[in-house]
Amino acid sequence: MNQLPIRIPFVDLNLQHRPIEFELQQAIQEVLNRGDFILGKGLSDFETAFASACGTEYGVGVASGTDAIALGLQACNIGIGDEVILPANTFIATLIGVLRAGAKPILVDCHPETALIDLEAATKAITAQTKAIIPVHLYGQMVSPRQLLDLADTYKLLIFEDAAQAHLAEREGYRAGSVGIAAAFSFYPSKNLGAFGDGGMLVTRDADVVAKMRCLRNYGASQKYVHIEIGTNSRLDSLQAAVLHQKLPYLSQWNSDRLTLAQQYDLELAPLASAGIIPMENQSSTGHVYHLYVVKVKDTFPLKRQQLQDHLTAGGIQTGIHYPIPCHLQPALAYLGYQPGDFPITELLAKQILSLPIYPGLKNTQVTEIATTIKSSCIAVST
Ligand SMILES: *Cc1c(COP(=O)(O)O)cnc(C)c1O
């Protein structure tokens, strides 16, 4: 098969940035003019604005989403001696955050229809040592806030949200980041709200958590040269904050563009359901912010997932897999003692899932083209 050049990339950030290039340059220029690169006005302004957009009170900008989880858990006094329940089906950073905080990660399986944490499995995993649960709002869809709050209330657990893929997502009247004691966001460039580099934020309405978090990100200093924690250096640069703040007003439009594209995919892929292409279920109506659009390629489909991916690549369409190797089977985590077969749904999904391009600026005609290329793959294989 002749490989065409990439015509539809998996992500294209230029489409998002080009229309607002001038104002982004101005925002950067203002930071240059002020010269307050670290913990400057650009940062505190953005922290307030982002926390408020999430329906909560305080934000603490840090160097990455991973740091927002690791330091955030510490700021919530979750650490040595504590068990933390989290899904096996997540990006490894969630797990790294728990380990860095010194807590013991307890992995649980996910739902096959949504890929979100299975709260029944989580309930079974609760022990006297369980201090917190980390719902990961995966692919842009929140874990049910009502069920989470019920669980946390019944068993006296803290909820710490990993909202790295769910900026402004909503479900059951709650917004991502406003459900638990605190929530971690990532501003990695391809996230729904992305910086021009790495960045992250912890949001919370707890004044004690915010004070400890500000201290931890700044060498553990409560005031200059007075160190009350063994902290680290993890601050969101004023430059990145200025870029993010400039982009923030566009975020809900960008999210609704993603939703519209997802709805089009749902419609155009529906005829392939019987053949074995099954999109992940949206259980939150218009509150899903579709960081990723993920389908399952079932065994019944005429092509293996790899073959379908190759067929799309040959047609100039880039796709992804989020994630191909579950956390519990990662080489670095073998010491935790998990085995293949421990989380059957997570392991099955890792073999079946395929992420299709979805981003603001992707055209409806391109979604049609992707759907058509998937349909044509069945024909390609039978000839
Ligand atoms: C991106 C991501 C992270 C990590 O964020 P970084 O900014 O890349 O450190 C954590 N959890 C999830 C679910 C993510 O998607």
Side-chain angles (χ1 to χ4, degrees), residues 190-205:
S190 63
K191 297 287 159 87
N192 289 37
L193 181 63
F196 288 176
D198 276 308
M201 192 177 290
L202 187 85
V203 301
T204 180
R205 53 175 76 82

Side-chain angles (χ1 to χ4, degrees), residues 63-69 90-95 136-139 162-165 184-188 191 198-200 291-292 323:
S64 69
T66 308
D67 277 359
I69 301 167
T90 182
F91 182 54
I92 190 143
T94 320
L95 192 45
V136 180
H137 303 318
L138 201 68
Y139 305 151
D162 181 341
Q165 301 188 358
F185 285 88
S186 164
F187 303 121
Y188 180 80
K191 297 287 159 87
D198 276 308
H291 174 59
L292 293 168
Y323 298 91

Side-chain angles (χ1 to χ4, degrees), residues 42-375:
L43 178 58
S44 49
D45 287 352
F46 175 61
E47 287 172 336
T48 308
F50 188 73
S52 143
C54 296
T56 183
E57 204 157 342
Y58 309 103
V60 184
V62 291
S64 69
T66 308
D67 277 359
I69 301 167
L71 302 175
L73 289 169
Q74 269 182 273
C76 296
N77 296 314
I78 298 164
I80 295 165
D82 298 327
E83 292 181 358
V84 174
I85 295 173
L86 72 156
N89 190 42
T90 182
F91 182 54
I92 190 143
T94 320
L95 192 45
I96 289 175
V98 174
L99 292 168
R100 273 182 50 201
K104 182 173 181 196
I106 304 294
L107 298 177
V108 298
D109 214 346
C110 64
H111 284 291
E113 302 82 14
T114 58
L116 297 174
I117 188 170
D118 177 345
L119 292 178
E120 273 176 45
T123 308
K124 290 193 188 114
I126 295 170
T127 73
Q129 279 68 52
T130 310
K131 176 115 174 219
I133 179 166
I134 307 186
V136 180
H137 303 318
L138 201 68
Y139 305 151
Q141 171 156 238
M142 290 179 76
V143 177
S144 165
R146 270 197 243 120
Q147 289 179 35
L148 274 171
L149 289 163
D150 272 356
L151 181 79
D153 188 48
T154 307
Y155 297 95
K156 305 296 162 225
L157 304 182
L158 297 174
I159 300 168
F160 184 99
E161 298 165 75
D162 181 341
Q165 301 188 358
H167 313 67
L168 305 192
E170 288 177 352
R171 187 165 178 175
E172 299 158 2
Y174 291 87
R175 200 160 259 202
S178 71
V179 180
I181 181 166
F185 285 88
S186 164
F187 303 121
Y188 180 80
S190 63
K191 297 287 159 87
N192 289 37
L193 181 63
F196 288 176
D198 276 308
M201 192 177 290
L202 187 85
V203 301
T204 180
R205 53 175 76 82
D206 187 311
D208 294 334
V209 171
V210 93
K212 188 162 176 189
M213 187 71 180
R214 283 190 182 132
C215 181
L216 286 169
R217 72 167 171 187
N218 196 32
Y219 323 104
S222 58
Q223 50 180 292
K224 204 164 191 189
Y225 303 130
V226 180
H227 302 268
I228 58 168
E229 303 277 351
I230 309 296
T232 188
N233 176 350
S234 177
R235 296 158 309 208
L236 181 64
D237 292 327
S238 301
L239 272 173
Q240 298 299 355
V243 167
L244 290 161
H245 203 165
Q246 200 64 41
K247 289 173 74 170
L248 183 59
Y250 299 99
L251 180 55
S252 47
Q253 182 60 51
W254 288 335
N255 281 343
S256 81
D257 292 348
R258 287 171 181 272
L259 178 66
T260 304
L261 293 164
Q263 287 167 337
Q264 191 192 342
Y265 269 127
D266 284 347
L267 217 60
E268 299 210 19
L269 294 175
L272 287 174
S274 53
I277 300 288
I278 313 287
M280 285 297 169
E281 226 171 80
N282 174 5
Q283 300 180 340
S284 32
S285 179
T286 56
H288 196 320
V289 296
Y290 281 98
H291 174 59
L292 293 168
Y293 186 86
V294 177
V295 299
K296 289 178 277 191
V297 184
K298 294 271 185 96
D299 281 348
T300 52
F301 195 66
L303 285 82
K304 295 197 187 317
R305 179 191 51 192
Q306 181 65 60
Q307 291 174 310
L308 176 58
Q309 200 174 17
D310 291 346
H311 179 80
L312 287 161
T313 309
I317 298 161
Q318 267 188 335
T319 55
I321 297 169
H322 301 87
Y323 298 91
I325 306 173
C327 289
H328 67 290
L329 303 177
Q330 291 293 346
L333 300 171
Y335 78 100
L336 294 175
Y338 291 107
Q339 302 292 329
D342 282 351
F343 306 111
I345 308 293
T346 298
E347 291 169 36
L348 181 66
L349 288 182
K351 294 195 178 82
Q352 292 184 334
I353 48 178
L354 187 65
S355 309
L356 305 178
I358 191 161
Y359 41 88
L362 185 70
K363 296 193 184 72
N364 299 113
T365 51
Q366 292 177 307
V367 170
T368 301
E369 193 184 327
I370 295 164
T372 307
T373 308
I374 295 174
K375 286 172 194 156

